[in-house]
Amino acid sequence: MKYISTRGKSSAIEFEDVLLAGLAPDGGLYVPESYPQFTKEQVRNMRALSYFELAAEIMAPFTTGCLTKAELTDMAKQAYGGFSHTAVAPLKQIGNGLWVMELFYGPTLAFKDYALQIVGRMFDAVLKRTKRHITILGATSGDTGSAAIEACKGCSNLDIFILHPHNRVSEVQRRQMTTTIASNVYNIALEGTFDDCQAIVKGLFADADFREKYSLSAVNSINWARIMAQIVYYFHAALALGAPDREVSFAVPTGNFGNIFAGYVAKRMGLPVKKLILGSNENDILPRFLETGVMEKREVKPSISPSMDIQVSSNFERLLFEMLDRDAVQVSGLMEMFRYEKSYQVKQDTLNRIREIFSGVRCSDTETKAQIEKIYRAAGEVVDPHSAIGFAAAEKFGEKKVPSVVLATAHPSKFPVPVREATGITPVLPSRLSDLMTKRESFTVLPNTMDAIKYFIETAVKKDVE
Ligand SMILES: *Cc1c(COP(=O)(O)O)cnc(C)c1O
């Protein structure tokens, strides 16, 4: 399978290079040249597969020439075998036509483990095979960082640098990153917001000399391999509810648009996905876009669902590319406009096409807490603020005839304060993480400038090579 850039100015490359490159040199995002298609019969036959086998079945067409189905099955077993639920991504009925898929049984208690645990293994295998060394650089609003560090610690052929906004992630989130002490792991607390972190990472990737010299690579949600690994659980849930013979809708707490975009790809591959309903907090750039067709960036507001405190949903560019019939010139134009004017508008027919599949819901912190309380009263389930926004989204746009599956993206113990305020219950960390709050931390606070980060990386990598 070859991959092309949404901006059209980089040449097509193979999976192995997409895995390591992250962003395309022209600033675009890689997408497969075409989406593999499964027939109804093929989808029906997937019902018999374990999560590991299903993962290999879904991913193999995307990794041809790099990883075989057998290699993928092995990696999936290693990646998900240690998760603390045997179903890996269990589905629970919560109400009439309402289900929740719990995606927090990995090592860092958030859905990002589902992609990163296997993508880390892909990195390791490919780097060892090609005898290369890379520098992974990422920005995190909380959960990506710990999941990436957890997936990459101890990989001998890479160093990993993760920027998080200083004092803007929860203590549990910070500790999950900073207590993993490994010689190839560097935590940077940036004096800025998540968008500042993301802007610096993008800036360093855009610096061709720096990128080449340190073989920069990304594991944030712009990396295609992560999207690919996330497609699996959409199939997993829909199959359990009767796909391909029954449609299913998904409600997804959304920030960078990576998770929900995987749901869109699942639909393109033949899964009968009816609606994709995105939930956001007061950083509501996507619901506003769905109302008006104008993508307009505003200031980031801190919320009780910090992993969604984002005003630039990078992966939306992939959807735009599809909805503009893969017209890279138009995509580049809109992205340039967004960069300089902080806003762009799509034509009415493009917006209509997007609305046929996507709806969006915004939740204030007060509404989110009310939702947490409501779910607890109605179903006895304690959910985290991000997942609660997913429930709010399902409630607003779910249809009676089509089952709705809410993606629960984090374990409630990652966000104990709002959960306690809403329910009176303090969710406890699973026992395998019980020493988290007392472990030693290691991180460096740095000013919000590209140069400071550049210098830090240069010094650290040099030290590591010596
Ligand atoms: C990252 C994250 C999200 C947002 O996912 P995107 O793929 O960025 O849209 C939602 N909830 C939690 C708990 C997360 O960690």
Side-chain angles (χ1 to χ4, degrees), residues 144-284:
T144 314
S146 54
I149 288 168
E150 212 33 65
C152 292
K153 67 176 184 201
C155 291
S156 47
N157 294 34
L158 60 85
D159 288 307
I160 176 164
F161 294 84
I162 297 293
L163 279 67
H164 69 264
H166 190 37
N167 292 333
R168 284 175 191 249
V169 299
S170 81
E171 185 176 8
V172 172
Q173 286 181 314
R174 189 191 69 240
R175 286 184 159 273
Q176 283 188 315
M177 295 190 273
T178 57
T179 58
T180 301
I181 314 283
S183 63
N184 67 332
V185 171
Y186 298 91
N187 276 292
I188 297 170
L190 189 85
E191 291 173 322
T193 64
F194 169 67
D195 284 350
D196 294 329
C197 294
Q198 192 156 257
I200 286 184
V201 167
K202 278 191 178 166
L204 291 175
F205 272 97
D207 179 339
D209 288 340
F210 191 78
R211 188 178 69 230
E212 301 286 312
K213 186 164 176 208
Y214 293 97
S215 303
L216 283 197
S217 179
V219 291
N220 49 18
S221 68
I222 55 166
N223 190 304
W224 168 260
R226 280 185 54 185
I227 306 272
M228 175 182 81
Q230 290 169 178
I231 301 165
V232 178
Y233 48 70
Y234 284 92
F235 272 84
H236 178 73
L239 286 163
L241 291 173
D245 304 302
R246 188 188 192 195
E247 288 187 303
V248 182
S249 290
F250 290 94
V252 189
T254 295
N256 231 335
F257 207 74
N259 198 3
I260 200 166
F261 185 73
Y264 170 78
V265 177
K267 182 176 171 68
R268 292 288 302 264
M269 291 170 77
L271 196 70
V273 175
K274 179 91 193 276
K275 277 270 154 79
L276 292 163
I277 311 160
L278 63 87
S280 75
N281 57 34
E282 284 188 65
N283 297 289
D284 60 346

Side-chain angles (χ1 to χ4, degrees), residues 280-337:
S280 75
N281 57 34
E282 284 188 65
N283 297 289
D284 60 346
I285 184 167
L286 291 169
R288 280 190 283 118
F289 171 80
L290 287 167
E291 279 155 29
T292 62
V294 179
M295 189 72 89
E296 185 208 1
K297 187 179 162 182
R298 296 191 183 154
E299 287 298 304
V300 178
K301 259 198 208 167
S303 79
I304 59 168
S305 46
S307 301
M308 291 153 58
D309 289 352
I310 285 172
Q311 280 288 345
V312 180
S313 297
S314 305
N315 276 295
F316 193 80
E317 182 169 342
R318 288 189 160 110
L319 183 72
L320 203 54
F321 185 64
E322 301 302 342
M323 295 293 152
L324 294 170
D325 296 318
R326 301 200 149 201
D327 182 342
V329 175
Q330 269 199 72
V331 172
S332 306
L334 291 175
M335 289 303 133
E336 280 296 286
M337 176 125 47

Side-chain angles (χ1 to χ4, degrees), residues 1-4 12-13 31-35 62 321-322 326:
M1 174 73 77
K2 283 222 153 94
Y3 290 81
I4 56 172
I13 59 174
V31 290
E33 220 165 34
S34 65
Y35 292 107
F62 291 109
F321 185 64
E322 301 302 342
R326 301 200 149 201

